[in-house]
Amino acid sequence: MKFTFEVGHAEKHIVDFEFNQFLGNLSIKVDGNDRINDFRTFSFKLIKTYEFEVGNEEKHQVKIEKIRKLVLAGFRKTKYKVYIDGILDREFEGR
């Protein structure tokens, strides 16, 4: 699953999210620079949260929730919720 979104008004930043559901590699980049790298192969949690700050002069808190299915998660679509400054900004779903 890959998606990209923009954060900021006067000071804009591009956030790239990539997760390989079968291999478990997760990468979050801000303006092309690595921000978070994770490796997930097995978890009891249905929701995994990634939080980070974006911006220099215009700062924003970004939270991405990865919500997986309970049964056969590796073969089913995963939902992603993106919050900017505590407000749900967008949702994605895919593999």
Side-chain angles (χ1 to χ4, degrees), residues 14-81:
I14 301 297
V15 177
D16 296 306
F17 179 96
E18 184 174 351
F19 177 61
N20 184 316
Q21 197 163 335
F22 296 104
L23 298 178
N25 296 328
L26 181 136
S27 171
I28 299 174
K29 295 182 180 190
V30 177
D31 298 330
N33 299 311
D34 286 334
R35 181 60 60 97
I36 296 174
N37 287 301
D38 195 10
F39 182 71
R40 314 276 312 162
T41 56
F42 184 78
S43 177
F44 288 109
K45 293 183 178 181
L46 296 180
I47 300 174
K48 174 65 178 166
T49 303
Y50 300 94
E51 296 185 71
F52 53 95
E53 187 175 79
V54 174
N56 298 315
E57 298 298 319
E58 179 186 337
K59 295 187 184 294
H60 296 281
Q61 294 297 321
V62 177
K63 177 172 79 170
I64 301 173
E65 290 182 341
K66 185 172 92 51
I67 305 163
R68 70 173 184 86
K69 306 289 187 200
L70 180 60
V71 180
L72 299 172
F75 300 100
R76 299 173 68 190
K77 290 182 180 179
T78 300
K79 182 180 269 188
Y80 304 88
K81 291 185 177 184

Side-chain angles (χ1 to χ4, degrees), residues 76-91:
R76 299 173 68 190
K77 290 182 180 179
T78 300
K79 182 180 269 188
Y80 304 88
K81 291 185 177 184
V82 176
Y83 296 85
I84 299 176
D85 297 327
I87 299 170
L88 180 62
D89 186 64
R90 61 193 74 206
E91 294 183 30

